[in-house]
Structure formats: C-alpha cells, structure tokens
C-alpha cells in the first residue's frame, strides 16, 4: 500500500475543543507515515478543498500541533458551506475529485456537526458514484450535542461546563444583590433546536439556586412560566432563568429572531434574554439583569471539561485508525459504559445513519412542568463536565497557538464558488 | 483596652474577590481576640446595621471562612443603599449609633466603592458629630477601578482578566469563521463612567487580534469608528469591538439606556452591544455576533487574577490592622512599587480624599484616535491580571461556600427603612 495524503477540514461553528480533534488526527497520522504521507487541511473548511487552498500541516512543529489540544477555535478556519446533492451540483463534486487527484488525497476527515456529516457522507459515496477511491470519516463536533447514536458530542461538555459554572457564579451574585436590587438574572445560551446547553444551566439547582429553563423543545407557556418565576422569587428572593436562543412562542416564532439567515438557511438568533427579562419585568415588576454569552460560551477553552478534551482528541485519533483499517462512510462515536464511575469507550456509526438526524432532549430529561431538568438528565450531564484541563498562561492570558498555515502549492486553475 | 465587636458589611455591586477581603478581615480579627471580640456582618450591607439584622461570623468554622477566599459574590448579602448626609437624615445615624451601642461595636469595616467610601466617611465622623466612639475603615472594592489614590481596586484585576481572556477566545472563534460567516464580534462590558474594564479587552491586540474599543470617556465619533472597523476588516477579514456599557453619543445619551435607574439614581444600562453591531451592519453590511457579559464578568471567580485575590485579601487584613493601630476615617490602598517585575505594597489614604472622587482613564492610556489603548495602559494592566488562582472543583463545578449566616439576637425594636 502506497502512502496517500489525507485531507482534514473543520466545518460549521467552531468549539473550545475542535482543535483537540485536529490534534488527534494529525498526531495519529504522523505515527503512520507509511500510510498517510501528509495531512493537508482545508483553509476555511471545505471551501479550501474546492478552491485548492490547502494548508500543509507538515510545516508545523510537533509542539505547535500539541498546542492545538488546548487552543480553542478552528486553527485552519471553518466555514458554513453545505454541498448540495450530487444531482444538484455535480460541478462541486467533480472539482473535489480534481483537487483530491492532483494532491493524491486518499483520506477525507471532516470535523463537524449534522450538516457536515451529510457532506462527509456524500464525499464517501464518490468511490461508488464517481469511481474515485477516497475513504471519508466524519469526526463528530458540535456544541449543540445533537448528533445521533454517539452518547454525546465533543464540544458540548465544555460549553455545558461553561454555562453551568457561569450560571452558578452569576446566581451567587444575584443572590447577594436581591434584597435591594436585581431579583432576576437571565442568561441566554446557544442551542437552536435542542436544549442540551440550556439543560446544563439546570445543574445549579443542586447548589440551592432557584432556576428555570426555557427549552427550544417546549413551547413557551407564558402564564405558567411567569407563575413559576413569581413562586421562586417569593420563596428565594431571586430567580435565575436560562433561556435557549431557540426558545419559541406557541405560534412557532422564536423569542428573538434577528431576521437574517446563515448559509444553511437557518434563522440567525440572538436577544432572547432581553425579551424574557422585559416580559418578567412587565408582568411582575422585578428588577433584572441579563447576559448573552454568545461566542464566549463555545470559545471558553480556559474552562474546558477534561472529559470533553479527552473525547475530542480520541475522536480524531479514532477517525484516523478507522480509515487505516479500511473503513469508509463512518464516524467514531462515544459510548457510555457506565455513569458512576463514568466510563466511556470509542464506538462507531455508519454515516448513512448520522447525516441529517438531530437528537433532541428526551422528554424524560425535562421536568414535568417543562421548566427544569430531571435527575436522569443530571446523571447524563455531570460526567460530561467533569475535570478541568487548564491551558498554560503567560502574562495573565492563555498561551494559545496560531499556526503558520503554510499553503500547499497549487496545481490547478481557479474555481469559482 | 476591652475588646469591642467589629461590624463588617459589603456594599454595592459584588465582585469575584470581595469575599477574599471579608476573609482577610475575619481571619485577621480572629488573630486579635483580645481587641476584637466578634465580627458581626451586616445582612445585605448597611441595611443589616439599620435593621439590626446582624450575622454572627463566629458561628462559621475556620474552614468556611477560608473558603470565602475563593468564593465569588457577597457572602453576607450586599445592597445599593446610600446614607444621606447627617443633616438630611439624622434618624439613620441615630439608629446606627443605637445598634452599635447595643452590640458593643467599636470598629466599622465597610467594603465597597466610591459611594460606600462616602458612607464610611460619614460613619467615621460619628465620634465628632455624635460623640460616639467608632473607628471606621473602608475596604476598597470595585470592578470599575475608579477609586482615587489607590493604584487599582480589588475586583478590577479579575474582571479585567475575564474580559481579556474572553475577548481573546471569542476573537479566535470569529477569526475561524470570518471567511463565510461572522466578521464582527461585539462584546459589551461593564464600566458606567470609567473605561478601565473596556481597556482590558485591548490587551488582545498583542495577540494579533484587530480590536477597537468604545470608552465612556470618549464620545462616539460614528464616522471615524466605522472607518476604523472597515479598515480592520479589509486588512484582517474580521474585527473585535469592545464597548463599554457607558459609551455615549456626542449628545451625552448612552448608546443603550434601559430607562430605569438604581437606588443611587444611576441609569441602568445594558444593550450597547446590539446597538453597535447593528450600526456596523447597517453601514458596512458585515455579519455580526454580539455578547453581553453582564454579571458573568464580575462573578467569574473561576478565572480570577491571583494578583487581585492576594490584594483583596491584603486590603481586608490591612483594614483590621489600621483599626487596631487606632486609625479612623482611613482606607488601605495598593501602591505600585515597580512594573517589571511587578511589586506592590499596602499604603493608606484618608477617607476625606477618597469619598466621591472618581478616577477615569488618563488620556495617555487611550490611543490618539480614541479607539484603543497605549503601551502605558498595557504596562499598567498586565500585572493586575497576572496569575491564576483556581477554586477547588467537585462534580465539574466550583465548590463555593454558602455560609450559615446565623443571626445575632436582636436587642432593639424594629426600624423602618
């Protein structure tokens, strides 16, 4: 078997640990030089493959690649760009094959969420549909935690930890101020369709914090919600509210829609927190503060979950190993072996069963009134936020790596996206 | 000298390290039982003194008090409540004396910012004005860093570290996404009148991040600002903007005023970030994300600056020592002895010179165009965010302490606020 090159790309929203997966891919590939000559990364994701804008990761030192493990964001750039079906856009697939041929690419590692799993699956079919031999392996990543089959998704554990810790800290703050000032603290978190991240805020309940959650899965019952807020404030003098960006009115409208859409056609959200805060103020008169964590939550590598970092790395490593074993159209998964003590192992799933399937919060993870989480949910979440894995600091700031990202010499003509 | 009791209270907005000062006060008092019998804390600040709602800190174990050092928020409750002048509200001062007499209070430690320094100063004058012997010492605290004389204020270093780290991490994220998605990231930070916290966001400039800052001290020149954003995006493909909640239009209006005011009559702010984001979008068309850190920034004990924690503790300790030396109407200060290596020592300032004076950013800390910080500013800031001081974690969350807060038996009748 002659050594082929591998293509690796990051796709969709980045996370605190997607670079840990990149680290797993590249370090593992470097241990198998006989089979994987070089790892070429797509600059800005799949766009890098289409425009032949490849990054030569072999020009990075071992130390720089190791530093990816504790560096948030997407070190090679990511993109929001979804390939259409082969029938609808044959030109893009032909271009991919052209680029892969020109650079002797035999392995395709795609690091992303549900939309990206679909792209990866389409690429995996090129052997059959276009007669081009490439092994495509998806490396799971999404803060939304909504990929099927895998017990959880790399990226989620760290954002869950960030939201749980931040909600706890801000709730302590509000509790201090409630006598004469703020009684309501609203924190808006990511999660367009699935409430996994919002659920993590519910973990503060075990620290004596009165908390209510607005999930995307449960349509807002305004009357019930306001009654619950009132009851919490009357009992505890304050209340913390975690609202998912995807929380909706009964008519299906998002609490806050900015009116713009991303490249996948998803509505761009933001600003549910002030809507909820004002709703409470108008009905109950409580003084409020609100926060929108936005990118802070998914970039917060300084507070990453060690479990998450380890799993992100393991998924990158397993992806390469699956490819070397000859697999195609596959994704490594995280399999939960036990809850307490938490044990997990690496499994695998066929991409045909992963692409375009979203995993929502099971109804028995949400409390009966729709405004909290259950014990089963807590047992699921706690292991995922377990452990700290601090980056090194210098002059008070984390010492994150910025790679050289040297380009691979182009061999083909330009390509219009 | 017979031992007297001490009164300690937390005032105004709480911080990640105000409890470290409480720890300093209580631990030091416990070492001088011959002079300070007990430390009684005001439940919810000065309101606890007025309503005779005192907390007996002697019922807390040494371990619980030690845990205050790494617990954010105000462990005894804080309040926004400013005493009027003696002439305007004699009744409140008479009540304070009544409560102090009833509980044998000889020392008054007040932990707060500028407004609180004024209250503390008024209490310090009770010896003269009302013939009641009490030694009042102010323990400096404010994330706004706007107290005069002291080189910096406990609470600021940690919020500065949080904002610098968060801005760095979110900027890495935006940089990854800029090719096809977000080009502008706006983070709103605290600081109503002084831009110290916003300035901390400027530290990311040394990590190759294009950043612009909107300070409260500099009125917004919209044309110049938008031109600067455009230049940054054309050069770097993205731009991070740090906006202070106190940023103003040239006519003096805040970029975002919610229309409500707090107990001190200050306008309650929030929501400058979406205003700035939409301003950029409307003028330049760039896709944006925005975050409002709000309480997260001042509660983030998980990312406290070690320098800040040490100084907060030292201020509490020094306050007790100053009182034991017989001082009144005084505040311990932080004196910078050298920048590199950073060395500081404890100084002192008379409260008459502290109360009601706000320290703004010096103009030579702000770049000429008004949208960034200078080298002098960076040299000032970097030592203050230096060092990490992580709290212990359990089950993935910080193990913060909640005190018993047992009440001291009341001896007096009720008092209406």
């Amino acid at each position: 078997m002659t050594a082929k090159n591998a293509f690796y790309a990051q796709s969709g929203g980045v996370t605190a640990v997607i670079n840990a997966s990149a680290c797993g891919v590249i370090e593992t590939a470097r241990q198998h030089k006989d089979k994987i000559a070089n790892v070429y990364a797509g600059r800005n994701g799949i766009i890098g493959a289409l425009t032949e804008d490849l990054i030569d990761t072999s020009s990075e030192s071992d130390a720089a690649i190791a530093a990816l493990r504790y560096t948030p964001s997407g070190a090679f750039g990511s993109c929001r760009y979804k390939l259409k079906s082969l029938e609808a856009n044959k030109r893009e697939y032909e271009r991919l094959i052209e680029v892969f041929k020109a650079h002797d690419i035999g392995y395709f590692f795609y690091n992303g969420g549900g939309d990206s799993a679909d792209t990866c699956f389409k690429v995996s079919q090129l052997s059959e549909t276009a007669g081009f031999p490439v092994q495509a392996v998806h490396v799971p990543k999404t803060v939304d935690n909504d990929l099927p089959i895998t017990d959880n998704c790399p990226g989620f554990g760290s954002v869950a930890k960030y939201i749980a810790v931040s909600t706890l800290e801000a709730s302590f703050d509000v509790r201090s101020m409630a006598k004469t000032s703020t009684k309501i603290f609203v924190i808006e978190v990511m999660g367009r369709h699935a409430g996994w991240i919002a659920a993590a805020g519910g973990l503060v309940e075990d620290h004596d914090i009165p908390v209510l959650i607005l999930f995307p899965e449960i349509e807002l019952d305004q009357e019930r919600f306001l009654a619950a807020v009132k009851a919490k404030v009357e009992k505890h003098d304050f209340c913390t509210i975690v609202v998912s960006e995807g929380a909706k009115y009964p008519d299906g409208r998002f609490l806050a829609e900015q009116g713009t859409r991303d490249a996948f056609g998803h509505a761009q959200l933001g600003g549910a927190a002030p809507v909820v805060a004002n709703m409470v103020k108008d009905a109950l008169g409580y003084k409020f503060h609100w926060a929108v964590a936005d990118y802070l939550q998914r970039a917060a590598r300084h507070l990453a979950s060690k479990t998450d970092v380890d799993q992100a790395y393991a998924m990158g490593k397993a992806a390469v190993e699956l490819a070397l074993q000859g697999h195609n159209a596959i994704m490594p998964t995280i399999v939960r072996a036990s809850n307490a003590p938490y044990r997990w192992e690496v499994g695998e799933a066929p991409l045909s069963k992963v692409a375009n399937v979203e995993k929502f919060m099971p109804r028995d993870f949400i409390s009966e009134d729709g405004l909290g989480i259950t014990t089963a949910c807590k047992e699921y979440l706690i292991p995922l936020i377990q452990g700290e894995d601090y980056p090194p600091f210098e002059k008070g700031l984390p010492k994150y790596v910025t790679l050289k990202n040297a380009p691979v010499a182009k061999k083909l003509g330009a390509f219009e996206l």
Side-chain angles (χ1 to χ4, degrees), chain A:
Chain A
M1 180 173 163
T2 338
K4 293 265 185 187
N5 293 317
F7 174 83
Y8 167 80
Q10 303 178 318
S11 180
V14 295
T15 78
V17 301
I18 184 173
N19 285 335
S21 290
C23 179
V25 166
I26 297 168
E27 289 190 345
T28 310
R30 285 184 178 189
Q31 288 159 18
H32 297 91
K33 291 271 186 196
D34 54 324
K35 287 172 184 160
I36 301 177
N38 261 313
V39 177
Y40 294 151
R43 195 184 306 274
N44 303 309
I46 195 74
I47 287 178
L50 291 168
T51 59
E52 205 198 355
D53 195 353
L54 305 178
I55 290 165
D56 187 358
T57 68
S58 70
S59 69
E60 307 292 343
S61 68
D62 285 349
I65 295 302
L68 287 178
R69 190 169 173 131
Y70 55 77
T71 297
S73 82
F76 308 107
S78 184
C79 70
R80 296 200 176 275
Y81 192 89
K82 189 174 179 178
L83 291 186
K84 294 203 183 68
S85 70
L86 188 54
E87 298 72 38
N89 199 343
K90 209 175 166 189
R91 181 177 160 268
E92 284 183 342
Y93 293 90
E94 285 169 352
R95 171 65 175 187
L96 280 185
I97 292 172
E98 191 186 17
V99 171
F100 290 171
K101 272 188 184 159
H103 295 277
D104 202 22
I105 305 286
Y107 308 96
F108 178 86
F109 299 109
Y110 208 43
N111 205 168
D115 285 320
S116 314
D118 180 63
T119 298
C120 191
F121 183 59
K122 285 167 184 158
V123 169
S124 76
Q125 303 308 298
L126 289 178
S127 313
E128 279 181 39
T129 55
F132 179 76
V134 64
Q135 285 170 256
V137 182
H138 192 60
V139 186
K141 168 241 65 169
T142 170
V143 295
D144 291 332
N145 202 38
D146 60 357
L147 288 172
I149 307 177
T150 186
D151 181 65
N152 59 290
C153 304
F156 170 67
S158 293
V159 77
K161 187 180 185 87
Y162 176 90
I163 292 301
V165 172
S166 299
T167 303
L168 180 69
E169 291 178 332
S171 298
F172 265 57
D173 190 308
V174 179
R175 185 174 65 182
S176 311
M177 305 302 297
K179 179 73 179 175
T180 57
S181 182
T182 311
K183 288 203 187 299
I184 299 295
F185 179 71
V186 185
I187 176 168
E188 175 174 338
V189 305
M190 287 178 159
R192 196 160 289 171
H193 301 129
W196 295 104
I197 299 175
L203 289 172
V204 303
E205 198 181 22
D206 292 348
H207 294 246
D208 284 329
I209 302 297
V211 63
L212 297 170
I213 307 172
L214 298 177
F215 296 100
E217 287 93 343
I218 306 283
E219 65 182 39
L220 175 67
D221 178 338
Q222 199 162 320
E223 204 173 322
R224 172 188 283 197
F225 167 62
L226 290 169
V229 173
K230 189 159 182 274
K232 293 280 189 203
V233 172
E234 283 173 1
K235 185 168 175 198
H236 302 273
D237 217 25
F238 75 105
C239 181
T240 295
I241 299 163
V242 183
V243 56
S244 174
E245 61 175 345
K248 293 188 203 70
Y249 293 108
D251 65 5
R253 271 181 314 128
F254 288 114
L255 265 60
E257 192 162 334
Q258 291 181 354
T260 52
R261 290 184 180 270
D262 74 9
F264 294 133
H266 305 145
Q268 195 178 15
L269 305 179
V275 171
V276 171
N278 282 290
M279 183 189 297
V280 172
K281 169 89 178 177
D282 291 346
L284 303 168
Y286 300 138
K287 198 171 163 191
F288 61 79
H289 263 252
W290 55 265
V292 177
D294 194 66
Y295 280 0
L296 305 194
Q297 71 199 284
R298 74 180 199 195
R301 182 60 184 80
H302 74 270
L303 189 58
S305 147
K306 183 170 191 311
T307 303
D308 192 31
V309 175
D310 290 346
Q311 292 178 339
Y313 184 90
M315 290 298 102
K317 180 169 184 276
V320 173
E321 289 168 347
L322 285 169
L324 293 178
Q325 287 159 23
H327 289 282
N328 185 28
I330 202 167
M331 178 181 90
T333 61
I334 297 158
V335 179
R336 187 179 295 227
S338 84
N339 252 345
Y342 176 58
R343 287 187 300 104
W344 60 277
E345 49 207 39
V346 176
E348 57 191 62
L351 276 186
S352 57
K353 294 198 174 163
V354 173
N356 298 313
V357 181
E358 271 179 294
K359 184 173 72 178
F360 301 104
M361 289 266 291
R363 187 59 184 84
D364 71 346
F365 274 24
I366 299 175
S367 59
E368 221 172 306
D369 68 0
L371 298 167
I373 57 173
T374 61
T375 304
C377 184
K378 290 175 190 172
E379 284 169 356
Y380 171 78
L381 290 174
I382 288 172
L384 306 183
I385 68 167
Q386 205 92 256
E388 293 68 55
D389 189 53
Y390 302 115
F393 276 70
E394 189 176 57
K395 287 186 174 181
L397 289 177
K399 208 179 156 185
Y400 295 139
V401 72
T402 295
L403 299 180
K404 288 182 284 187
N405 284 349
V408 176
K410 294 198 183 196
K411 299 181 177 181
L412 303 170
F415 180 84
E416 283 295 310
L417 288 176

